[in-house]
């Protein structure tokens, strides 16, 4: 190691130590100090701008700032330390330096994270589950998961998402999370396995944040997931809140539940139970018993886009809308641009909802998979439209999905996956056209507002 690198590492550790010294007291002043110190850890201007914007939100008293203060004060010391060090420092600040260095040296930038599905086994059998048609007996060996995570860190990725199947059916997965204790894991789970013993183990680790699936209140959740499921999820929330954990809810919006899960009453219930994150995912007709009738209408999708913005400005909870947040992430993030999915067979998919693959992680490296011709072609087409409110190649620009699958002869990774581009093609095309009638005027209005803001700022300065 060079003298320069040793000096850089020493300076980084000094800054990290100073940040950690402010963690215990969640005052606005201390949090602003932490953010200013964090800005020194990254050389990436985009990340510096984001942290500066976060700092301004604290100074303005925005609900998102209240959320961060609340999160830090509610967490156990172990969970709080892992959240700051693993997620904000390793994954978001210093990890980007590695990814940018690879961009400089090799001409490509690794994504922010990889989604891994260690198993497709699940104790529930929900209709419409996107993973429902995968082979339930398939699973990734522990050694392979360990290898993938090691390669992730070599590429500057210290954040990882695990899905399935029900990831908590893999009892050995705790060994992985324990071994990679410098990483931060987000897991998607149905929550039924989170009893007192499991909650204790997760809290002890401190680097795992469960996102628990809900369909709405008790009636909606139990109708799809089975009687008593809602009560088990509420109990899981209570156990995790008592232990000072980071956790949230994963919400699949369908035509029948979108108004419920987008209601103030539902969001307030989640916040009261301790949820710090809400993820909205639009139902896509894939997996078990796919149905176009379950897809939210174009009008409903547009309504949720507007409602989420209202909720963000009024509720102390982080809300992500996987389809409607295209403008914030410059369109589609799949295909290795910001993430990709490795399923339980090892097939490397562009997205958890895009069940086509060319490569398998068992016989290729993560680096080579990200840079495969298939993934590169997808990235070369992004964004698929100038309107970033229509970011998806599955339902907004379905011609892109069909063309790349055909060009690279990508194979379906589960039974029935090809229906999205065959049997459902005409109806998906009609949906995309209909949604554009809402999204295109909304995008034009947004761009007009953005154009007016610099003019107003200049006028105020004069």
């Amino acid at each position: 190691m060079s003298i320069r690198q040793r000096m850089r590492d020493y300076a980084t550790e000094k800054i990290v130590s100073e940040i950690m010294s402010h963690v215990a007291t969640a005052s606005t002043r201390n949090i602003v100090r932490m953010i200013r110190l964090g800005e020194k850890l990254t050389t990436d201007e985009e990340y510096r701008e984001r942290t500066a914007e976060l700092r301004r939100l604290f100074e303005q008293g925005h609900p998102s700032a209240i959320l961060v203060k609340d999160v830090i004060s509610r967490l156990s010391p172990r969970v709080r330390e892992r959240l700051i060090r693993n997620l904000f420092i390793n994954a978001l600040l210093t990890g980007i330096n590695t990814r940018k260095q690879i961009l400089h040296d090799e001409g490509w930038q690794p994504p922010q994270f990889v989604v891994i599905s260690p198993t497709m086994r699940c104790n529930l059998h929900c209709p419409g589950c996107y993973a429902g048609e995968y082979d339930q007996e398939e699973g990734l060996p522990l050694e392979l998961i360990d290898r993938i995570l090691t390669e992730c860190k070599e590429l500057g990725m210290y954040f990882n998402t695990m899905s399935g199947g029900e990831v908590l059916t893999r009892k050995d997965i705790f060994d992985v999370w324990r071994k990679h204790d410098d990483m931060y894991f987000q897991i998607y789970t149905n929550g039924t396995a989170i009893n007192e013993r499991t909650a204790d183990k997760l809290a002890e680790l401190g680097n795992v944040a469960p996102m628990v699936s809900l369909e709405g209140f008790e009636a909606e959740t139990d109708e799809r997931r089975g009687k008593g499921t809602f009560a088990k999820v509420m109990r899981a929330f209570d156990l995790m809140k008592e232990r000072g954990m980071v956790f949230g809810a994963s919400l699949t919006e369908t035509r029948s539940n979108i108004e419920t899960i987008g209601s103030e009453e539902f969001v307030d219930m989640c916040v009261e139970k301790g949820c710090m994150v809400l993820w909205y995912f639009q139902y896509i007709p894939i997996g078990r018993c796919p149905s176009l009738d379950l897809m939210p209408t174009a009008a409903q999708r547009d309504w949720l886009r507007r409602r989420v913005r209202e909720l963000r400005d009024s509720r102390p909870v982080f809300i992500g809308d996987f389809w409607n947040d295209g403008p914030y992430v410059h369109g589609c993030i799949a295909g290795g641009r910001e993430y990709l999915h490795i399923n339980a067979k090892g097939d490397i998919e562009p997205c958890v909802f895009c069940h086509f693959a060319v490569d398998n992680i068992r016989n290729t490296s993560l680096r080579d998979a990200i840079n495969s011709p298939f993934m590169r072609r997808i990235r070369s087409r992004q964004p698929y439209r100038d309107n970033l409110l229509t970011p998806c190649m599955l339902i907004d620009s379905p011609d892109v999905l069909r063309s790349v699958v055909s060009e690279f002869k990508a194979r379906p990774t589960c039974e029935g996956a090809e229906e999205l581009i065959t049997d459902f093609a005409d109806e998906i095309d009609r949906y995309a056209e209909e949604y554009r009638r809402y999204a295109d005027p909304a995008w034009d209005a947004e761009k007009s507002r953005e154009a007016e803001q610099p003019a107003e700022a200049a006028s105020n300065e004069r």
Side-chain angles (χ1 to χ4, degrees), residues 74-76 79-80 239-246:
R74 283 166 46 194
L75 299 181
S76 73
V79 171
R80 185 167 54 225
L239 292 171
M240 291 188 288
K241 185 177 181 181
E242 290 167 4
R243 286 156 178 77
M245 291 172 54
V246 176

Side-chain angles (χ1 to χ4, degrees), residues 198-429:
T198 301
D200 285 340
K201 292 172 66 177
L202 290 168
E204 180 185 358
L205 287 169
N207 63 337
V208 182
M211 301 293 135
V212 184
S213 298
L214 278 175
E215 310 301 324
F217 294 106
E218 184 171 19
E220 295 85 4
T221 299
D222 284 5
E223 180 181 2
R224 185 179 182 214
R225 296 182 170 270
K227 186 173 178 59
T229 301
F230 181 82
K232 291 178 181 177
V233 171
M234 294 300 104
R235 177 58 177 157
F237 284 165
D238 290 341
L239 292 171
M240 291 188 288
K241 185 177 181 181
E242 290 167 4
R243 286 156 178 77
M245 291 172 54
V246 176
F247 64 93
S250 172
L251 314 168
T252 299
E253 70 252 25
T254 67
R255 193 168 301 184
S256 61
N257 78 344
I258 190 168
E259 284 85 4
T260 298
I261 62 176
S263 68
E264 294 179 347
E265 293 77 12
F266 177 79
V267 172
D268 288 343
M269 178 203 73
C270 291
V271 171
E272 182 179 348
K273 296 299 287 186
C275 290
M276 301 167 187
V277 182
L278 299 179
W279 284 113
Y280 287 88
F281 296 97
Q282 178 166 324
Y283 171 79
I284 303 295
I286 54 176
R288 183 181 292 120
C289 306
S291 171
L292 288 156
D293 293 335
L294 283 174
M295 286 184 71
T297 65
Q300 287 177 319
R301 178 176 168 185
D302 184 63
W303 172 82
L304 184 65
R305 175 185 66 82
R306 291 178 280 111
R307 170 49 63 89
V308 164
R309 295 187 180 191
E310 295 171 359
L311 293 169
R312 282 175 175 149
D313 288 335
S314 61
R315 264 63 180 179
V317 61
F318 174 85
I319 302 177
D321 185 340
F322 200 74
W323 267 260
N324 288 328
D325 280 349
Y328 301 112
V329 293
H330 200 65
C332 175
I333 65 172
R337 178 176 159 248
E338 295 295 353
Y339 98 109
L340 49 75
H341 177 224
I342 301 173
N343 70 24
K345 292 189 295 185
D347 291 325
I348 303 166
E349 302 170 336
C351 166
V352 296
F353 301 98
C354 183
H355 296 173
F356 296 91
V358 172
D359 295 308
N360 189 288
I361 198 64
R362 296 173 189 268
N363 49 44
T364 190
S365 68
L366 183 58
R367 175 187 291 265
D368 288 343
I370 296 168
N371 284 295
S372 71
F374 180 52
M375 297 296 180
R376 280 185 174 274
R377 175 72 79 222
I378 291 171
R379 296 200 295 273
S380 74
R381 303 286 296 270
Q382 297 166 340
Y384 312 121
R385 299 186 75 226
D386 291 337
N387 182 350
L388 300 182
L389 292 173
T390 56
C392 181
M393 70 173 177
L394 275 66
I395 60 173
D396 295 324
S397 297
D399 57 305
V400 175
L401 174 63
R402 294 168 202 152
S403 68
V404 296
V405 167
S406 175
E407 179 181 359
F408 294 95
K409 297 180 174 54
R411 65 183 182 279
T413 54
C414 66
E415 185 178 350
E418 66 277 6
E419 290 181 356
L420 191 65
I421 60 175
T422 55
D423 297 5
F424 297 155
D426 290 343
E427 291 179 83
I428 292 294
D429 285 342

Side-chain angles (χ1 to χ4, degrees), residues 40-111:
K40 298 179 180 179
L41 289 175
T42 180
T43 58
D44 185 75
E45 287 303 319
E46 182 181 352
Y47 272 58
R48 286 179 184 269
E49 291 174 7
R50 290 181 184 178
T51 54
E53 177 61 26
L54 179 62
R55 176 164 38 83
R56 286 191 288 272
L57 292 176
F58 273 96
E59 294 166 349
Q60 296 164 4
H62 190 273
S64 59
I66 297 172
L67 167 65
V68 175
K69 287 179 61 177
D70 183 48
V71 165
I72 292 176
S73 62
R74 283 166 46 194
L75 299 181
S76 73
R78 174 69 172 180
V79 171
R80 185 167 54 225
E81 191 270 340
R82 288 296 181 227
L83 177 71
I84 300 298
R85 182 179 288 272
N86 293 13
L87 180 60
F88 290 111
I89 296 177
N90 292 353
L92 298 181
L93 294 176
T94 60
I96 186 62
N97 296 339
T98 300
R99 301 198 297 276
K100 287 295 184 184
Q101 189 63 48
I102 292 172
L103 175 62
H104 178 270
D105 296 342
E106 304 178 28
W108 68 282
Q109 181 171 318

